[in-house]
Protein backbone atom coordinates (compact mmCIF):
# COMPACT_ATOMS: atom_id res chain seq x y z
CA UNK A 1 0.00 0.00 0.00
CA UNK A 2 2.74 2.46 0.87
CA UNK A 3 4.33 1.93 -2.56
CA UNK A 4 1.04 2.83 -4.17
CA UNK A 5 0.76 5.87 -1.94
CA UNK A 6 4.25 7.00 -2.94
CA UNK A 7 3.37 6.58 -6.59
CA UNK A 8 0.24 8.68 -6.12
CA UNK A 9 2.23 11.39 -4.39
CA UNK A 10 4.78 11.37 -7.19
CA UNK A 11 2.07 11.94 -9.78
CA UNK A 12 0.61 14.83 -7.78
CA UNK A 13 4.00 16.43 -7.19
CA UNK A 14 4.91 16.03 -10.87
CA UNK A 15 1.68 17.62 -12.11
CA UNK A 16 1.86 20.30 -9.40
CA UNK A 17 5.34 21.33 -10.48
CA UNK A 18 4.95 20.88 -14.23
CA UNK A 19 1.26 21.36 -14.96
CA UNK A 20 0.08 20.13 -18.36
CA UNK A 21 -2.13 22.33 -20.52
CA UNK A 22 -1.12 25.46 -18.61
CA UNK A 23 -1.75 28.78 -20.34
CA UNK A 24 -4.50 30.60 -22.20
CA UNK A 25 -6.50 29.06 -25.03
CA UNK A 26 -7.06 31.57 -27.79
CA UNK A 27 -9.94 29.77 -29.52
CA UNK A 28 -11.81 28.86 -26.33
CA UNK A 29 -15.57 28.51 -26.74
CA UNK A 30 -16.20 28.24 -22.99
CA UNK A 31 -14.41 29.66 -19.99
CA UNK A 32 -14.96 30.11 -16.27
CA UNK A 33 -13.07 31.34 -13.26
CA UNK A 34 -12.85 29.60 -9.94
CA UNK A 35 -11.50 30.65 -6.58
CA UNK A 36 -10.88 28.84 -3.32
CA UNK A 37 -10.45 31.64 -0.75
CA UNK A 38 -9.47 29.25 2.03
CA UNK A 39 -6.24 28.32 0.27
CA UNK A 40 -5.82 31.19 -2.20
CA UNK A 41 -6.22 29.00 -5.27
CA UNK A 42 -7.60 30.75 -8.32
CA UNK A 43 -7.80 29.53 -11.85
CA UNK A 44 -9.32 30.27 -15.21
CA UNK A 45 -10.41 27.26 -17.22
CA UNK A 46 -10.70 27.36 -21.00
CA UNK A 47 -12.52 24.81 -23.12
CA UNK A 48 -12.84 24.46 -26.85
CA UNK A 49 -16.01 22.49 -27.51
CA UNK A 50 -17.11 21.50 -31.00
CA UNK A 51 -20.10 19.26 -31.76
CA UNK A 52 -20.45 18.36 -28.08
CA UNK A 53 -16.85 17.14 -27.79
CA UNK A 54 -14.13 18.83 -25.74
CA UNK A 55 -11.43 19.34 -28.35
CA UNK A 56 -9.08 21.22 -26.05
CA UNK A 57 -8.85 22.23 -22.40
CA UNK A 58 -6.33 24.55 -20.77
CA UNK A 59 -6.05 26.53 -17.56
CA UNK A 60 -4.06 29.28 -15.97
CA UNK A 61 -3.86 30.81 -12.54
CA UNK A 62 -2.11 30.34 -9.25
CA UNK A 63 -2.71 27.65 -6.70
CA UNK A 64 -1.24 25.09 -4.37
CA UNK A 65 0.21 21.81 -5.60
CA UNK A 66 -3.08 19.96 -5.11
CA UNK A 67 -5.26 22.39 -7.06
CA UNK A 68 -2.64 22.73 -9.81
CA UNK A 69 -2.20 18.96 -10.10
CA UNK A 70 -5.96 18.45 -10.12
CA UNK A 71 -6.43 21.01 -12.92
CA UNK A 72 -3.54 19.49 -14.87
CA UNK A 73 -4.88 15.94 -14.59
CA UNK A 74 -8.43 17.13 -15.29
CA UNK A 75 -7.54 18.98 -18.49
CA UNK A 76 -5.60 15.92 -19.69
CA UNK A 77 -8.56 13.66 -18.99
CA UNK A 78 -11.14 15.95 -20.61
CA UNK A 79 -9.70 16.07 -24.09
CA UNK A 80 -11.76 14.04 -26.53
CA UNK A 81 -14.60 13.55 -24.05
CA UNK A 82 -18.18 14.57 -24.73
CA UNK A 83 -19.73 17.11 -22.39
CA UNK A 84 -21.94 14.31 -21.01
CA UNK A 85 -18.84 12.24 -20.27
CA UNK A 86 -17.30 15.28 -18.58
CA UNK A 87 -20.37 15.58 -16.36
CA UNK A 88 -20.07 11.91 -15.45
CA UNK A 89 -16.39 12.41 -14.63
CA UNK A 90 -17.30 15.34 -12.38
CA UNK A 91 -19.76 13.11 -10.50
CA UNK A 92 -17.14 10.39 -10.23
CA UNK A 93 -14.47 12.78 -9.03
CA UNK A 94 -16.78 14.34 -6.48
CA UNK A 95 -17.55 10.86 -5.15
CA UNK A 96 -13.84 10.02 -5.07
CA UNK A 97 -12.76 13.01 -2.99
CA UNK A 98 -15.78 13.16 -0.69
CA UNK A 99 -16.17 9.42 -0.18
CA UNK A 100 -19.85 9.67 -1.08
CA UNK A 101 -20.66 7.09 -3.71
CA UNK A 102 -22.13 8.34 -6.96
CA UNK A 103 -24.75 6.19 -8.67
CA UNK A 104 -23.00 6.07 -12.03
CA UNK A 105 -19.44 7.10 -11.35
CA UNK A 106 -17.24 7.10 -14.43
CA UNK A 107 -13.90 5.34 -14.45
CA UNK A 108 -11.37 7.98 -13.45
CA UNK A 109 -8.08 6.39 -14.44
CA UNK A 110 -5.12 8.52 -13.38
CA UNK A 111 -7.39 10.98 -11.57
CA UNK A 112 -7.74 8.43 -8.79
CA UNK A 113 -4.37 9.58 -7.43
CA UNK A 114 -6.30 12.49 -5.90
CA UNK A 115 -8.49 10.20 -3.80
CA UNK A 116 -6.08 10.60 -0.89
CA UNK A 117 -7.30 14.15 -0.24
CA UNK A 118 -10.46 12.61 1.21
CA UNK A 119 -8.62 12.42 4.54
CA UNK A 120 -7.94 16.18 4.50
CA UNK A 121 -11.19 18.20 4.25
CA UNK A 122 -9.42 21.50 3.48
CA UNK A 123 -7.60 19.80 0.59
CA UNK A 124 -10.84 18.48 -0.86
CA UNK A 125 -11.69 22.06 -1.85
CA UNK A 126 -8.31 22.47 -3.55
CA UNK A 127 -8.78 19.26 -5.54
CA UNK A 128 -12.43 20.05 -6.36
CA UNK A 129 -11.93 23.66 -7.47
CA UNK A 130 -11.00 22.85 -11.10
CA UNK A 131 -14.02 20.55 -11.34
CA UNK A 132 -16.50 23.09 -10.01
CA UNK A 133 -14.98 25.56 -12.44
CA UNK A 134 -15.52 22.97 -15.19
CA UNK A 135 -19.19 22.77 -14.26
CA UNK A 136 -19.45 26.54 -14.52
CA UNK A 137 -17.69 26.54 -17.89
CA UNK A 138 -19.91 23.77 -19.26
CA UNK A 139 -23.23 25.00 -17.94
CA UNK A 140 -23.01 28.70 -17.13
CA UNK A 141 -20.02 30.21 -18.84
CA UNK A 142 -20.53 33.67 -17.40
CA UNK A 143 -20.36 32.63 -13.78
CA UNK A 144 -17.36 32.70 -11.49
CA UNK A 145 -17.37 30.03 -8.82
CA UNK A 146 -16.06 30.03 -5.29
CA UNK A 147 -15.63 26.95 -3.15
CA UNK A 148 -17.13 28.97 -0.30
CA UNK A 149 -20.48 29.15 -2.08
CA UNK A 150 -20.59 25.42 -2.72
CA UNK A 151 -22.32 23.22 -0.21
ZN1 LIG B 1 -5.17 24.79 -2.46
Amino acid sequence: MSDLRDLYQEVIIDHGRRPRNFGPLAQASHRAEGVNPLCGDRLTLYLKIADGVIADARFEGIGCAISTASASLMTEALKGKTTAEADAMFAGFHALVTGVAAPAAASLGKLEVLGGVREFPARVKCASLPWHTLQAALHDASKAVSTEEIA
Side-chain angles (χ1 to χ4, degrees):
M1 259 326 267
S2 70
D3 285 353
L4 189 62
R5 192 166 273 231
D6 287 350
L7 175 69
Y8 281 12
Q9 279 177 356
E10 264 175 42
V11 172
I12 292 169
I13 290 166
D14 176 41
H15 278 263
R17 283 187 183 152
R18 299 188 302 115
R20 316 316 194 254
N21 308 307
F22 189 84
L25 179 59
Q27 312 90 343
S29 58
H30 295 63
R31 58 166 281 177
E33 288 170 24
V35 57
N36 172 15
L38 287 187
C39 180
D41 309 313
R42 51 179 66 238
L43 68 90
T44 303
L45 178 70
Y46 304 95
L47 302 173
K48 184 182 176 187
I49 300 175
D51 298 328
V53 174
I54 299 170
D56 206 356
R58 293 178 67 79
F59 76 102
E60 59 184 348
I62 52 165
C64 65
I66 297 288
S67 69
T68 302
S70 182
S72 174
L73 288 159
M74 182 187 79
T75 50
E76 268 195 337
L78 286 175
K79 289 187 195 182
K81 298 289 194 299
T82 65
T83 54
E85 286 169 336
D87 280 336
M89 285 169 63
F90 169 81
F93 189 83
H94 194 259
L96 173 74
V97 298
T98 60
V100 179
S107 167
L108 293 169
K110 208 198 281 183
L111 292 166
E112 291 185 7
V113 299
L114 288 159
V117 301
R118 198 186 301 132
E119 295 161 42
F120 308 97
R123 289 296 172 194
V124 171
K125 295 193 174 185
C126 299
S128 302
L129 176 65
W131 291 87
H132 288 296
T133 310
L134 169 68
Q135 286 290 293
L138 285 174
H139 301 291
D140 186 2
S142 63
K143 194 179 170 228
V145 297
S146 167
T147 53
E148 292 314 286
E149 292 158 16
I150 298 162

